[in-house]
Amino acid sequence: MRTFLKDVYRIWKLNGISLFLFELIYRIATSAVIMNLTDWFISISLKQQKYSYLTAENYVKFICHPLTLILLAVILLCMALMVLLEISAVFWCIQCSMLNEKTYVPGIIKNGITNSLLFIRYHPVFWSVYMLGTMPFLGLHFIIWEIANVKILEFTALQIYKFFPKTWLLVLLCVIIMTGSVIITFSLPYCITENRRIRLGIKMAAVRLRRHFGKSVAGVVLMQVLVLVVTAAAYLMAVALIVVVIIIFMKPSFRISGVLTYGNGAKSVIGLFAGSAGVIYGLLAVGGIYLPRRGKQYLKRISQKNRGKYRVFRRRAAAYLVTVLLIAAEAGGILYMNLARGNVNNMVLSSFSVTAHRGGALMAPENTMSAMEYAVESMSDYAEIDVQETKDDILVLLHDNNLKRTTGLNANVWDMTYQEVAQLDAGVKFNKRFLGEKVPTLDDIIKYSKGKIRLNIEVKSNGHNKNIVSKVIKCIEDNDFEDQCVLTSMNYSFLKQAKELNPDIKTGYIMTMTYGSIKDIECADLFSVKHTYVTRWFVKEAHACGKEVHAWTVNYPGDVQRMITYGADGVITDDPALVHRIYLGEEDKKTGFWGLMKYAVK
């Protein structure tokens, strides 16, 4: 192990700075390309499939559509090409270090491109699949970071998890994929440096791993663990510095907002570096095991064969100039994109509404009269309630299709008459204090709420209530409650029906994802979005269309403050009192260093 670490250090010592600068330039450029390409392709596919927006309801159909699959294949092909160029460039740099030759960023890029084209020429059919096979292992840090920060990937990962009936099957599949990726990664020197056939390279790597399994895997794992530790330490140090600067220079009422804003920026930058470091040190470990054992003369012969004409880039001044120009061009591009998006630092809101989730589910049984009383007492602006329909067409408050969770009776609401539902106890499961609490009707709740609190009436779609919208509208009109409510639903056709029946009633589209264009969603006056998918850019786009954005379900102080910082018009929460304290700045004033650190790392 000592010899291995010495070889890795020798490789890094000579060309480490050049390798770091190359990764910095390359990662920023490729990340921007992939992200913009993905957004563009999603928009194209949504338009072709006549979807305005990607939601949880149309997600599976969207993903399985032939056009989406074709565009996904194009993205994967682009990613494979970028991975190939990166690996070729890094191996070139490692090779130069082993031969005690100095190289610079332009030379790394040029020879990376040259060797990549050479590899594609030798392997015209399977090169892309082979390159993608390295990603689970080499790109592990980056993949984890992407899934945690790119919401559509997080949603996809959750769908994949739900698809497997047993967790151990998913774990087994991950182990198999990772094992294959390790073998492919160890075959890279044979296939990239020596231009051997992919099948032969994998076979040689498998033989080497069998003979030196402990040392080989231990070396690579050690490098990846080192990257993880250094990345975590760098992130904590960056966040601590941000918190200290904010405490010194920002007013108490803006500190949490500042920590969330700049902390997210630090998370993005550190995540990008973690991905780069994972690839570099993974390849350094593989190179440290492979290259010293091939012999210097052998490496020199291979190097001369694949070198290409790059002498001009070995001149230090020219190399530095080109590197500076590349970094300046990227910085200019990033600045331009941010300016093009406009100024979205909406730190102060003219209005911000607080909605008690399911009436007041924190302090009382959800969707009950007691919950409504708590919503009024907590001075909430709205109470969010869920409306279903019984077998005899009575509108009642119920979130689930089944009554078991709230009342203990395992029966679907559409199979029960209201007289049967009225006999159930909707409070005792929450707390014995609420023994005898009934499932109320929508009419009862509207009559209680009039003049006390506005209602966010979510109309549930369960396949058994096609005419429920007209009944809800009639109930609202009969109680002269049009100006004191908003009708919301995940079913967009329900909103269309509502606007046709009474255009004056405010409507809201409940969304779980924020991908697509909201310009064509004309029948929604506001968007009720899962808080993890609310971004500055979405809020800005909605406001440009004259629409409000309300985030659900927001219970953590950091998430509340993030919604305020992003300019959301309100939040739906189980804890209205907490939201009021944060909005008034009371939480900010008593939050010290460690409290702000918790906000930042959440």
Side-chain angles (χ1 to χ4, degrees), residues 414-538:
W414 55 80
D415 293 326
M416 303 278 290
T417 65
Y418 176 65
Q419 186 176 3
E420 292 170 328
V421 172
Q423 303 302 314
L424 302 176
D425 191 322
V428 70
K429 287 194 72 176
F430 183 85
N431 192 288
K432 291 180 180 179
R433 290 190 298 110
F434 297 97
L435 178 67
E437 189 80 42
K438 301 301 181 185
V439 176
T441 66
L442 177 61
D443 188 66
D444 292 337
I445 293 299
I446 289 179
K447 282 182 167 59
Y448 168 79
S449 302
K450 196 169 182 179
K452 297 187 183 78
I453 192 170
R454 289 174 285 177
L455 293 180
N456 178 335
I457 304 171
E458 179 181 347
V459 182
K460 309 297 287 187
S461 177
N462 58 31
H464 296 266
N465 55 359
K466 293 182 180 178
N467 299 317
I468 190 172
V469 174
S470 60
K471 295 168 187 173
V472 171
I473 294 292
K474 185 176 186 306
C475 186
I476 292 170
E477 291 174 340
D478 288 348
N479 287 281
D480 193 24
F481 202 67
E482 294 96 322
D483 295 332
Q484 299 177 58
C485 69
V486 53
L487 187 150
T488 61
S489 182
M490 286 187 174
N491 188 330
Y492 186 64
S493 65
F494 280 8
L495 305 186
K496 288 182 178 179
Q497 292 176 41
K499 284 299 184 184
E500 289 171 0
L501 293 167
N502 191 331
D504 294 330
I505 292 179
K506 194 174 183 180
T507 56
Y509 190 26
I510 302 173
M511 308 169 70
T512 51
M513 287 187 285
T514 53
Y515 289 92
S517 174
I518 57 176
K519 294 178 181 177
D520 298 327
I521 305 181
E522 298 176 350
C523 294
D525 300 306
L526 64 83
F527 298 103
S528 182
V529 186
K530 187 175 181 180
H531 73 89
T532 52
Y533 291 88
V534 175
T535 65
R536 293 178 184 275
W537 321 119
F538 178 79

Side-chain angles (χ1 to χ4, degrees), residues 506 518 524-527 539-549 569:
K506 194 174 183 180
I518 57 176
D525 300 306
L526 64 83
F527 298 103
V539 173
K540 184 190 174 188
E541 183 185 6
H543 286 174
C545 296
K547 318 278 189 179
E548 296 178 13
V549 176
D569 301 280

